[in-house]
Amino acid sequence: MIVAQTLLAIVAVYVLAILWRGRTFRVRLPTRPGRSPARRMTAWAVGLAVSFSLPALVGLVLLGQDPLAAAQPAAIALVPDEWPHLPIAPLILGMALGTLANAAITHVLWRRGRRAFQIGTFPDVLPKTRKDILPAIALAISAGVSEELFFRLFLPLLIALVSGSALAGTIIAALCFGGVHRYQGWRGVVATTLSGVALSMLYGLTNSVWMAIAFHIAIDINALVVRPMARGAWRA
């Protein structure tokens, strides 16, 4: 308990500092019109890994948890053991079909001179040419892995171990998750907060943090890769 309390105090200061700044870090690279965002995306991907994956992995080891274990720790489990877990195959199929539908709708609207609806704003990391696609994929993967390990596993677990409430851990972590995305505007904060709650539910219903990671990566791939490609970024 002393280890968990100490870690929570440290992590609370760390998260509050991130919320105050609005981002974990700021990539100080030129944003001149027409400049490729590839270097910015690569730096952001590395920064996310250092800012979230590293603290989560170290913290989980200090708590005596296997950082690579898929199953949800009992301390943050909100789904009763007797409930059946969601099957994986239909979820993966749903992700694939949703991605294809997103690409088709975005492309049709783009050909008609219209933009598909988008909740958050992140213009400094959207691909403009083919060479930006791979860095965008790397950023999506880094964000999915890093943020799920931190906000769906490590932070909720810390809060639950100290407070004794899995629900408090889940809700507070989701609010913090939304808060660190305030650079996307208030709509982005609301959307990411709700996404955090949904991903926590998915984690519990599948008993696999890897499914939460996969869905997070799919969401970011759709926003950072699929839509720009459907709007013609792959042609330049």
Side-chain angles (χ1 to χ4, degrees):
M1 178 63 75
I2 294 178
V3 173
Q5 291 172 338
T6 304
L7 283 175
L8 182 58
I10 296 171
V11 170
V13 173
Y14 178 62
V15 172
L16 286 173
I18 294 173
L19 293 173
W20 177 263
R21 297 182 70 234
R23 287 189 184 184
T24 55
F25 59 92
R26 295 193 182 278
V27 182
R28 299 187 180 280
L29 294 175
T31 57
R32 293 191 297 271
R35 184 183 180 91
S36 168
R39 289 176 60 199
R40 180 176 299 275
M41 289 187 287
T42 301
W44 200 340
V46 174
L48 284 172
V50 173
S51 300
F52 292 129
S53 283
L54 185 59
L57 294 174
V58 172
L60 289 169
V61 170
L62 291 175
L63 291 173
Q65 298 284 330
D66 180 359
L68 299 179
Q72 194 173 41
I76 56 173
L78 295 175
V79 178
D81 290 338
E82 60 270 18
W83 284 24
H85 295 308
L86 292 178
I88 302 299
L91 293 174
I92 295 176
L93 178 61
M95 281 193 291
L97 293 177
T99 299
L100 291 174
N102 177 41
I105 292 171
T106 302
H107 184 71
V108 169
L109 291 175
W110 174 68
R111 292 291 297 270
R112 295 178 179 178
R114 299 166 58 190
R115 290 180 64 90
F117 176 73
Q118 182 170 297
I119 297 176
T121 56
F122 27 81
D124 54 346
V125 290
L126 289 179
K128 293 182 173 66
T129 65
R130 282 193 299 270
K131 69 178 182 180
D132 299 330
I133 300 299
L134 285 179
I137 293 173
L139 175 56
I141 293 173
S142 178
V145 173
S146 303
E147 292 178 351
E148 289 308 298
L149 287 177
F150 192 91
F151 291 104
R152 237 61 66 200
L153 177 54
F154 177 52
L155 183 57
L157 180 60
L158 263 185
I159 297 171
L161 289 175
V162 174
S163 68
S165 172
L167 182 60
T170 299
I171 293 175
I172 293 173
L175 290 172
C176 291
F177 177 63
V180 301
H181 289 83
R182 68 183 176 91
Y183 63 89
Q184 295 184 14
W186 70 267
R187 291 190 303 180
V189 171
V190 172
T192 49
T193 300
L194 295 177
S195 296
V197 173
L199 288 167
S200 294
M201 294 174 60
L202 179 68
Y203 185 9
L205 289 170
T206 60
N207 197 33
S208 173
V209 72
W210 302 111
M211 281 306 301
I213 289 173
F215 262 77
H216 191 145
I217 292 174
I219 292 170
D220 287 354
I221 287 285
N222 273 276
L224 299 177
V225 180
V226 173
R227 283 192 169 188
M229 288 183 67
R231 290 195 293 261
W234 62 275
R235 296 181 178 181

